[in-house]
Each structure stands twice: as C-alpha cells, then as structure tokens.
Amino acid sequence: MLSTAATLVSAPAVKAEPVRPAGRICSIDALRGLVILLMLVDHAREFFFIHAQVSDPMDVEATEPALFFTRLSAHLCAPVFVALTGLGAWLYGAKPAQGGRGAAAASGFLLKRGLFLIVLELTVVNFAWTFSLTPEILYLQVIWAIGLSMIALAALVWLPRPILIAVGLMLVLGHNLLDPITIEAGRPGHVFWAVLHDRGLIDLPWGGQARTSYPLLPWIGVAALGYGLGPWFAAAPSARLRRLVLTGLGALALFAVLRAVNLYGDPTPWSVQATPVQTVMSVLNLTKYPPSADFLLLILGVGASLLAGLERAPTRAVGLLAVFGGAPLFFYLIHLYGLHLLNLAALGLFGPNQGDGFGLPGVGWLWLLAAVAAVPCWFACRWFAGVKRRSPQTWMRYL
C-alpha cells in the first residue's frame, strides 16, 4: 500500500491528454453502470426477499452461500459511487468550461450538490422506501453519505494534493481506531458521533427515529482519495491504466495482509468454519456500517481493477454499461420507485406469500427480476441523459 500511496501522490497534476470539455470518460460511466446493476439486484432483495434479511456482518452459519455472495457483490456499490464522486468533482473543476478554476469550481459544485443530495435523501429517497411522509424510521443511507462527503470534500479540495491524499488514507485506514468510542443516546454528542462514526438511532420530533446507516468519517476519506485520482485522467491512457492496476493490486495486497493477521482492519475477525466455502465466507464477511479498513481495501482494490479492465474492454459492452452510468441519480430514483410499486402490485395480484408481504422463492429469481427491470431502466436512462445534455438549465447538472 505504501507503493500505492506513492503512486497517488507522485502523479502529475496535468499531462498529455486534456479532459474533453463536453465529453464523458466512458470507462468511468461504465463502472458506475456496472455497480448500478449490482445495486439493482440488492434492492430487489430488499423488496422481494424480506423474509431472509441479512445482518451486518452477515451470519455465515445462517446465510446460504447464494444469498451471501449476492449481498457481497452489492458491497461494491457504495465505495465505488463515493470514490467516483470525488473523481467526478476533480473532472468538473478541470473542464475548460470552468475557466481552469480547478478547486474553486469543484468546491462550489460540491457544496451545492451535496446540500441538494441531503434534501433528496430526507424526502424523495426515503419516501421511495416507505411510501410514508412520517416513517417510524428515517434511513440516512448512501445518498445522505455522498451529500455530506461532498460538503466535506468542498473544504478539503483546497488542501495541497499530497495532504488531501494523506487525509483520505488516514480516514480510510485509521478510523477503526475510533471503534471503542461510543456515546449513548441522550448523552451530549450522541447525534454528532452517530453521524460521524457510530451507527445509531436519532430521535425525531414526530416520535420516529433516524438511522445513521452510513456513518460519515470513512466515506469522506474515500471521496478524498477519488478526488486525488483526478489528474490520472488528464494523463496518457497508458499511464492511467498502469496506475490503476498498481493501486488495485496494492489495496488488495494490504487487505490480504491485514485479514491474514486478523488483529486490525475489521471488528469481526474471521475463523475456520465447518466447510471451505463457509471459511471463505468468514474471511469476506466484512463490516460495512461504518465500512471497515478491510472492507474498503477489498472493495476499492476491486473497483480500481475493474476500472482498469473497462479501459480496455470491448467498446460495445462499455457503451451499454455507460448508459446506466451516465444518469446514475435518475436511475437510483426510478428503480426504487419501480421496485416498490412492482412489489405492491404483486402483493395485490397474488396476495402475501411470505408473512404479510410478497417474496420471491429463491436468490436466482432476484437476479432474473433485476435483469428484466434493467431493460426499461436502460432506455429511460438513455432518454434522460439526452434531455440533460440538451437542457440549458443549470439545475439539471445536479440530477
């Protein structure tokens, strides 16, 4: 990982190949598109497999392998989204349309869009999950975390790049040192610490509670590292590819070392289980809320490797995935409302078959449902991307 950090810091600020003012980097959109599809599978699980919910960490003995690895694949989503948020902010500041203002342009955009995403999470997104204006539990999830991370990054982008990267590494790798610190509900600082690091419940005025599902500190670190990658995408493609491969391999190597030592990196140590498959599950059973150092090393290492692979992947496959990744927030909203309405329709047509709700009979059905749902979503995203591209309205940039 030291070599990876050195690669991050030593990359030149600008070199060789400028960022195109009106273009998008297809490999980035394709990576977003790939994780969006995995997110679709996971959210199909949330709506149609409610009878077999998984815990964090997942119970290796109680969770069937198919469900375990389905959930594990979805772990790729949040870290990649947040890292690409930071990267996207650098690319925004580097656009010639921003007059070369760099950090100034990126900071202003991050602050405004971060506030927009927080409002969106508290209103439109939560309503998509609950269809209630005053839910018993208000879930502060990935859109909330991205919004707050953007606000924090709006300040961090003014730091010299090596210091910004050092802060990112410190938060990603070191935040587990804070795990022993807890502040009980009702005590001063509980709300602040629940938002920053200790997943918990916050009382709301109408008698409900807010669940801080995505404690913030490590996500700020991920966004900062994503921003630190930015200059690589203004360099020659061959240099970018080499750095992505080295970074991915470095992160995965450090994950392997920390997980083998089994002393630091995740609150849940692994252990030998009854079967080899369960032992592998135990090793990969990592804490997401908040994301442990091991979790982020594994997922970001895989993410960097996938991004490198998509740099050289067939153009047609990259283009298909990039349609999803070109309108990620739009996709996020339409797929949540679509899955929820589809579940209610199935419940009305067929009645409850899993307690009070309607569920699918097996994990394979979740993947099939996601594959079918992805088709109309693809056409909707292609349409919306065109509308957004043609619109002269400034506010459209925030969608």
Coordinates of all heavy atoms in Angstrom, one line a residue, residues 21-24 29 32 36 88 92 95 109 113 116-117 120 150 322-333 379-399:
P21 N -14.0 19.0 -23.0 CA -14.9 19.8 -22.3 C -16.4 19.3 -22.2 O -17.1 19.5 -21.3 CB -14.9 21.1 -23.1 CG -14.3 20.8 -24.4 CD -13.4 19.6 -24.1
A22 N -16.8 18.7 -23.3 CA -18.2 18.2 -23.3 C -18.3 16.7 -23.3 O -19.4 16.2 -23.3 CB -18.9 18.7 -24.6
G23 N -17.2 16.0 -23.2 CA -17.2 14.6 -23.3 C -17.3 13.9 -21.9 O -17.0 14.6 -20.9
R24 N -17.6 12.7 -21.9 CA -17.5 11.9 -20.6 C -16.5 10.7 -20.9 O -16.4 10.2 -22.0 CB -18.9 11.4 -20.3 CG -19.9 12.5 -20.0 CD -21.3 11.9 -19.7 NE -21.2 11.2 -18.4 CZ -21.6 11.8 -17.2 NH1 -22.0 13.0 -17.2 NH2 -21.5 11.1 -16.1
D29 N -18.1 6.0 -16.6 CA -19.6 5.7 -16.7 C -19.9 4.3 -16.7 O -20.9 3.8 -16.1 CB -20.2 6.4 -17.9 CG -20.4 7.9 -17.7 OD1 -20.4 8.4 -16.5 OD2 -20.5 8.6 -18.7
R32 N -19.7 2.9 -13.2 CA -20.9 3.3 -12.5 C -22.1 2.4 -12.9 O -22.9 2.0 -12.1 CB -21.3 4.8 -12.8 CG -20.5 5.8 -12.0 CD -21.3 7.1 -12.0 NE -20.5 8.2 -11.5 CZ -19.8 9.1 -12.2 NH1 -19.8 8.9 -13.5 NH2 -19.1 10.0 -11.7
I36 N -24.3 0.0 -10.6 CA -25.7 0.3 -10.5 C -26.5 -1.0 -10.7 O -27.5 -1.2 -10.1 CB -26.1 1.3 -11.6 CG1 -25.8 2.7 -11.1 CG2 -27.5 1.2 -12.1 CD1 -26.0 3.8 -12.1
G88 N -15.2 12.6 -10.0 CA -16.1 13.5 -10.9 C -15.9 14.9 -10.5 O -16.0 15.8 -11.4
Y92 N -14.8 17.9 -13.0 CA -15.7 19.0 -13.2 C -14.8 20.3 -13.1 O -15.0 21.2 -14.0 CB -16.8 19.1 -12.1 CG -17.6 20.3 -12.2 CD1 -18.7 20.3 -13.1 CD2 -17.4 21.4 -11.4 CE1 -19.5 21.5 -13.2 CE2 -18.2 22.5 -11.5 CZ -19.3 22.6 -12.4 OH -20.0 23.7 -12.4
K95 N -12.7 21.0 -16.3 CA -13.3 21.3 -17.6 C -12.9 22.7 -18.1 O -12.9 23.7 -17.3 CB -14.8 21.2 -17.5 CG -15.4 19.8 -17.4 CD -16.9 19.9 -17.3 CE -17.5 18.5 -17.2 NZ -19.0 18.5 -17.1
F109 N -19.4 23.5 -6.7 CA -20.3 22.5 -7.2 C -20.5 21.4 -6.1 O -21.7 21.0 -5.9 CB -19.7 21.8 -8.4 CG -20.5 20.7 -8.9 CD1 -21.7 20.9 -9.6 CD2 -20.1 19.4 -8.7 CE1 -22.4 19.9 -10.1 CE2 -20.9 18.3 -9.2 CZ -22.0 18.6 -9.9
R113 N -24.3 20.7 -4.6 CA -24.9 19.4 -4.9 C -25.0 18.5 -3.7 O -25.9 17.7 -3.5 CB -24.1 18.6 -6.0 CG -24.8 17.4 -6.6 CD -24.3 17.0 -7.9 NE -25.2 16.1 -8.6 CZ -25.1 14.8 -8.5 NH1 -24.2 14.2 -7.8 NH2 -26.0 14.0 -9.2
F116 N -28.1 19.5 -2.0 CA -29.2 19.0 -2.7 C -29.4 17.5 -2.4 O -30.6 17.1 -2.3 CB -28.9 19.2 -4.2 CG -29.9 18.5 -5.1 CD1 -31.2 19.0 -5.3 CD2 -29.5 17.4 -5.8 CE1 -32.1 18.3 -6.2 CE2 -30.4 16.7 -6.7 CZ -31.6 17.2 -6.8
L117 N -28.4 16.7 -2.4 CA -28.5 15.3 -2.1 C -29.0 15.0 -0.7 O -29.8 14.1 -0.5 CB -27.2 14.6 -2.3 CG -26.6 14.5 -3.8 CD1 -25.3 13.8 -3.9 CD2 -27.7 13.8 -4.7
L120 N -32.6 15.6 -0.8 CA -33.2 14.5 -1.6 C -33.3 13.2 -0.8 O -34.4 12.5 -0.8 CB -32.4 14.2 -2.9 CG -33.0 13.4 -4.0 CD1 -34.1 14.3 -4.7 CD2 -32.0 13.0 -5.0
M150 N -19.6 15.2 0.0 CA -19.3 16.2 -0.9 C -19.1 17.6 -0.2 O -18.2 18.4 -0.6 CB -20.5 16.4 -1.9 CG -20.6 15.2 -2.8 SD -22.0 15.3 -4.0 CE -21.2 16.2 -5.3
A322 N -22.3 2.2 -19.9 CA -22.2 3.7 -19.7 C -23.5 4.4 -19.8 O -23.6 5.5 -19.2 CB -21.2 4.2 -20.7
V323 N -24.5 3.8 -20.4 CA -25.8 4.4 -20.5 C -26.4 4.5 -19.1 O -26.9 5.6 -18.7 CB -26.8 3.6 -21.4 CG1 -28.2 4.1 -21.2 CG2 -26.3 3.7 -22.8
F324 N -26.2 3.5 -18.3 CA -26.7 3.5 -16.9 C -25.9 4.5 -16.1 O -26.4 5.3 -15.3 CB -26.6 2.1 -16.2 CG -27.5 1.1 -16.7 CD1 -27.0 0.0 -17.5 CD2 -28.8 1.1 -16.5 CE1 -27.8 -1.0 -18.0 CE2 -29.7 0.1 -16.9 CZ -29.2 -0.9 -17.7
G325 N -24.5 4.5 -16.3 CA -23.7 5.3 -15.5 C -23.7 6.8 -15.9 O -23.2 7.6 -15.2
G326 N -24.3 7.1 -17.1 CA -24.4 8.5 -17.5 C -25.6 9.2 -16.8 O -25.7 10.4 -16.9
A327 N -26.5 8.5 -16.1 CA -27.6 9.1 -15.4 C -27.8 8.4 -14.1 O -28.9 7.8 -13.9 CB -28.9 9.1 -16.3
P328 N -26.8 8.3 -13.2 CA -26.9 7.5 -12.0 C -28.0 7.9 -11.0 O -28.7 7.0 -10.5 CB -25.5 7.6 -11.4 CG -24.9 8.9 -11.9 CD -25.5 9.0 -13.3
L329 N -28.1 9.2 -10.8 CA -29.1 9.6 -9.8 C -30.5 9.4 -10.3 O -31.4 8.9 -9.6 CB -28.9 11.1 -9.5 CG -29.9 11.7 -8.4 CD1 -29.8 10.9 -7.1 CD2 -29.5 13.1 -8.1
F330 N -30.7 9.6 -11.6 CA -32.0 9.4 -12.2 C -32.4 7.9 -12.1 O -33.5 7.5 -11.7 CB -32.0 9.8 -13.7 CG -33.2 9.5 -14.5 CD1 -34.4 10.2 -14.3 CD2 -33.3 8.4 -15.4 CE1 -35.6 9.9 -15.0 CE2 -34.4 8.1 -16.1 CZ -35.6 8.9 -15.9
F331 N -31.4 7.0 -12.4 CA -31.6 5.6 -12.3 C -31.9 5.2 -10.8 O -32.9 4.4 -10.6 CB -30.4 4.8 -12.7 CG -30.5 3.3 -12.5 CD1 -30.9 2.5 -13.5 CD2 -30.2 2.7 -11.2 CE1 -31.1 1.1 -13.3 CE2 -30.3 1.4 -11.0 CZ -30.8 0.6 -12.0
Y332 N -31.2 5.8 -9.9 CA -31.4 5.5 -8.5 C -32.9 5.7 -8.1 O -33.5 4.9 -7.4 CB -30.5 6.3 -7.6 CG -30.4 5.9 -6.1 CD1 -29.6 4.9 -5.7 CD2 -31.2 6.5 -5.2 CE1 -29.6 4.5 -4.4 CE2 -31.2 6.2 -3.9 CZ -30.4 5.2 -3.5 OH -30.3 4.8 -2.1
L333 N -33.4 6.8 -8.5 CA -34.8 7.2 -8.1 C -35.8 6.3 -8.8 O -36.7 5.8 -8.2 CB -35.0 8.7 -8.4 CG -34.2 9.7 -7.6 CD1 -34.5 11.1 -8.1 CD2 -34.5 9.5 -6.1
F379 N -33.4 2.1 -21.2 CA -34.0 3.1 -22.2 C -34.4 4.4 -21.5 O -34.2 5.5 -22.1 CB -35.2 2.4 -22.8 CG -34.9 1.4 -23.8 CD1 -35.0 0.0 -23.5 CD2 -34.5 1.7 -25.1 CE1 -34.7 -0.9 -24.5 CE2 -34.2 0.8 -26.1 CZ -34.3 -0.6 -25.7
A380 N -34.8 4.3 -20.3 CA -35.2 5.5 -19.5 C -33.9 6.4 -19.3 O -33.9 7.6 -19.4 CB -35.8 5.2 -18.2
C381 N -32.8 5.7 -18.9 CA -31.5 6.5 -18.7 C -31.0 7.1 -20.0 O -30.5 8.2 -19.9 CB -30.5 5.5 -18.1 SG -30.8 5.1 -16.3
R382 N -31.1 6.4 -21.1 CA -30.7 6.9 -22.3 C -31.5 8.1 -22.7 O -30.9 9.2 -23.2 CB -30.7 5.8 -23.4 CG -30.1 6.3 -24.7 CD -30.2 5.2 -25.8 NE -31.6 4.9 -26.2 CZ -31.9 4.2 -27.3 NH1 -30.9 3.7 -28.0 NH2 -33.1 4.0 -27.6
W383 N -32.8 8.1 -22.5 CA -33.6 9.2 -22.8 C -33.3 10.4 -21.9 O -33.1 11.5 -22.4 CB -35.1 8.8 -22.6 CG -36.0 10.0 -22.5 CD1 -36.5 10.8 -23.5 CD2 -36.5 10.6 -21.3 NE1 -37.3 11.8 -23.1 CE2 -37.3 11.7 -21.7 CE3 -36.4 10.4 -19.9 CZ2 -37.9 12.6 -20.8 CZ3 -37.0 11.2 -19.0 CH2 -37.8 12.3 -19.4
F384 N -33.1 10.2 -20.6 CA -32.9 11.2 -19.7 C -31.5 11.9 -19.9 O -31.3 13.1 -19.8 CB -33.0 10.8 -18.2 CG -32.8 11.9 -17.2 CD1 -33.8 12.8 -16.9 CD2 -31.5 12.0 -16.6 CE1 -33.6 13.8 -16.0 CE2 -31.3 13.0 -15.7 CZ -32.4 13.9 -15.4
A385 N -30.5 11.1 -20.2 CA -29.2 11.6 -20.5 C -29.2 12.6 -21.6 O -28.5 13.6 -21.6 CB -28.2 10.5 -20.8
G386 N -30.0 12.3 -22.7 CA -30.2 13.2 -23.8 C -30.9 14.5 -23.4 O -30.4 15.6 -23.8
V387 N -31.9 14.4 -22.6 CA -32.6 15.6 -22.1 C -31.7 16.4 -21.3 O -31.6 17.7 -21.5 CB -33.8 15.1 -21.2 CG1 -34.4 16.4 -20.5 CG2 -34.9 14.4 -22.1
K388 N -30.9 15.8 -20.4 CA -30.0 16.6 -19.5 C -28.9 17.2 -20.4 O -28.5 18.4 -20.1 CB -29.3 15.6 -18.5 CG -28.4 16.3 -17.5 CD -27.9 15.2 -16.6 CE -26.9 15.9 -15.6 NZ -26.4 14.9 -14.6
R389 N -28.4 16.5 -21.4 CA -27.3 17.1 -22.2 C -27.8 18.3 -23.0 O -27.1 19.2 -23.2 CB -26.8 16.0 -23.1 CG -25.6 16.4 -24.0 CD -25.0 15.2 -24.7 NE -26.0 14.5 -25.5 CZ -26.5 13.3 -25.2 NH1 -26.2 12.6 -24.1 NH2 -27.4 12.7 -26.1
R390 N -29.1 18.3 -23.4 CA -29.6 19.3 -24.3 C -30.1 20.5 -23.5 O -30.3 21.6 -24.0 CB -30.7 18.8 -25.2 CG -30.2 17.8 -26.3 CD -31.3 17.5 -27.2 NE -32.4 16.8 -26.6 CZ -32.6 15.5 -26.4 NH1 -31.6 14.7 -26.8 NH2 -33.6 15.0 -25.8
S391 N -30.4 20.3 -22.2 CA -31.0 21.3 -21.4 C -30.1 22.5 -21.1 O -29.0 22.3 -20.7 CB -31.6 20.7 -20.1 OG -32.1 21.8 -19.3
P392 N -30.6 23.7 -21.3 CA -29.8 24.9 -20.9 C -29.9 25.2 -19.4 O -29.2 26.1 -18.9 CB -30.4 26.0 -21.8 CG -31.8 25.6 -21.9 CD -31.9 24.1 -21.9
Q393 N -30.7 24.5 -18.7 CA -31.0 24.8 -17.3 C -29.8 24.4 -16.4 O -29.4 23.2 -16.4 CB -32.3 24.1 -16.8 CG -33.5 24.5 -17.6 CD -33.8 26.0 -17.5 OE1 -33.6 26.6 -16.4 NE2 -34.3 26.6 -18.6
T394 N -29.3 25.3 -15.6 CA -28.2 25.0 -14.7 C -28.5 23.9 -13.7 O -27.7 23.0 -13.4 CB -27.7 26.3 -13.9 OG1 -27.4 27.3 -14.9 CG2 -26.5 26.0 -13.1
W395 N -29.8 23.9 -13.2 CA -30.1 23.0 -12.1 C -30.1 21.5 -12.6 O -30.0 20.6 -11.8 CB -31.5 23.3 -11.6 CG -32.7 23.2 -12.5 CD1 -33.1 24.3 -13.3 CD2 -33.4 22.1 -12.9 NE1 -34.2 23.9 -14.1 CE2 -34.4 22.5 -13.9 CE3 -33.4 20.8 -12.5 CZ2 -35.3 21.7 -14.4 CZ3 -34.4 19.9 -13.1 CH2 -35.3 20.3 -14.0
M396 N -30.2 21.3 -13.9 CA -30.2 20.0 -14.5 C -28.8 19.2 -14.2 O -28.8 18.0 -14.2 CB -30.4 20.0 -16.0 CG -31.9 20.2 -16.4 SD -33.0 18.8 -16.0 CE -32.5 17.7 -17.2
R397 N -27.8 20.0 -14.0 CA -26.5 19.4 -13.7 C -26.5 18.7 -12.4 O -25.6 17.8 -12.1 CB -25.4 20.5 -13.6 CG -25.1 21.2 -14.9 CD -24.0 22.2 -14.7 NE -24.4 23.2 -13.7 CZ -23.6 24.2 -13.3 NH1 -22.4 24.3 -13.8 NH2 -23.9 25.0 -12.4
Y398 N -27.4 19.0 -11.5 CA -27.5 18.3 -10.2 C -28.2 17.0 -10.1 O -28.3 16.3 -9.1 CB -28.1 19.3 -9.1 CG -27.2 20.5 -9.0 CD1 -27.5 21.7 -9.7 CD2 -26.2 20.6 -8.1 CE1 -26.7 22.8 -9.6 CE2 -25.4 21.7 -8.0 CZ -25.7 22.8 -8.7 OH -24.9 23.9 -8.6
L399 N -28.8 16.6 -11.3 CA -29.6 15.4 -11.3 C -28.7 14.3 -11.9 O -27.8 14.5 -12.6 CB -30.8 15.6 -12.2 CG -31.8 16.6 -11.7 CD1 -33.0 16.7 -12.7 CD2 -32.4 16.2 -10.3

